[in-house]
Amino acid sequence: MYSEQEYLELEREAEYKSEYFRGEIFAMAGAGHNHNRIVQNLSGECYIAFKGKSCHTFSNDMRLNIPENGLYTYPDVIIVCGRNEFLDEKKDTLVNPNVIIEVLSSSTSSYDRGEKFHFYRSIPSLCEYVVIDSSKIAAEVYRKDENGFWYIASEGYAIDEFIELKSVELRIALKDIYAETEDILVR
């Protein structure tokens, strides 16, 4: 069992990323071609959309801490609007995401849709959670309403559709999300 401080000390010196939850450290697996391509496509679309605005993105290497449940993790894409809030002066662990995007793989899909999403919902600043499948055309946006309840707000399952992130005024075409991917299943 490790304390959060022990985890952070180890992680800041580690060659490979690991997640932390309730005293345990979990090594993260590498991502495949489609996963990486989708993350890069999303980052590029966000960069263009947010240029000159108060929102910005982090991808893959920005650690996120959820104080309410103690999870430390690395979402695929984080969108923050306004000022970044960090866990400490090292500025390597964010605590105030507005949008989190996870790219699903066969090994992470259940966790990202289930327990991890449950953990994410306790973040006060989080307005939307997006899951993008890396093996087939499927994108879903979950949004928090004014009473704190989460619902599917936007979804796309065909290459000519869009998803909409209202909290950051962003509409993204699935053809742009899936550009240059390989062997994607089409419904």
Side-chain angles (χ1 to χ4, degrees):
M1 296 293 279
Y2 295 88
S3 70
E4 288 185 39
Q5 192 58 42
E6 289 170 324
Y7 160 74
L8 285 171
E9 289 172 12
L10 290 169
E11 188 69 4
R12 287 173 173 151
E13 299 298 322
E15 292 183 31
Y16 303 99
K17 296 183 295 186
S18 298
E19 292 186 335
Y20 172 89
F21 184 62
R22 294 186 179 158
E24 293 186 63
I25 297 174
F26 303 92
M28 294 180 65
H33 173 271
N34 284 349
H35 184 112
N36 284 311
R37 184 75 263 144
I38 291 167
V39 169
Q40 292 303 312
N41 291 343
L42 288 164
S43 295
E45 292 297 314
C46 289
Y47 174 77
I48 292 166
F50 299 147
K51 193 171 182 179
K53 298 180 180 173
S54 67
C55 296
H56 51 278
T57 62
F58 297 96
S59 57
N60 290 329
D61 289 329
M62 178 53 75
R63 187 173 38 251
L64 174 69
N65 173 242
I66 307 170
E68 186 167 311
N69 53 51
L71 177 66
Y72 288 82
T73 188
Y74 293 86
D76 291 312
V77 178
I78 300 172
I79 300 173
V80 176
C81 296
R83 190 169 187 267
N84 297 322
E85 294 178 20
F86 294 101
L87 179 68
D88 58 28
E89 70 285 343
K90 300 270 189 201
K91 296 188 177 186
D92 60 359
T93 307
L94 196 67
V95 296
N96 69 322
N98 296 101
V99 177
I100 294 174
I101 303 173
E102 292 286 9
V103 178
L104 307 176
S105 65
S106 58
S107 64
T108 65
S109 182
S110 294
Y111 176 56
D112 287 344
R113 290 177 167 285
E115 190 173 20
K116 197 173 198 182
F117 182 31
H118 174 76
F119 294 149
Y120 285 159
R121 289 193 302 255
S122 70
I123 302 170
S125 61
L126 188 65
C127 301
E128 291 176 305
Y129 179 59
V130 183
V131 291
I132 310 284
D133 199 304
S134 66
S135 63
K136 65 181 179 239
I137 307 246
E140 301 167 352
V141 177
Y142 295 86
R143 188 171 299 136
K144 182 170 55 174
D145 71 14
E146 61 278 351
N147 296 314
F149 295 106
W150 288 87
Y151 64 98
I152 293 182
S154 179
E155 54 192 336
Y157 302 100
I159 201 71
D160 61 344
E161 294 180 332
F162 294 80
I163 57 169
E164 188 172 0
L165 286 69
K166 284 200 178 205
S167 67
V168 293
E169 298 178 2
L170 179 61
R171 188 173 188 234
I172 308 174
L174 269 61
K175 69 180 171 120
D176 294 328
I177 292 172
Y178 287 97
E180 299 180 37
T181 57
E182 297 177 1
D183 304 320
I184 294 289
L185 296 174
V186 180
R187 289 184 178 198

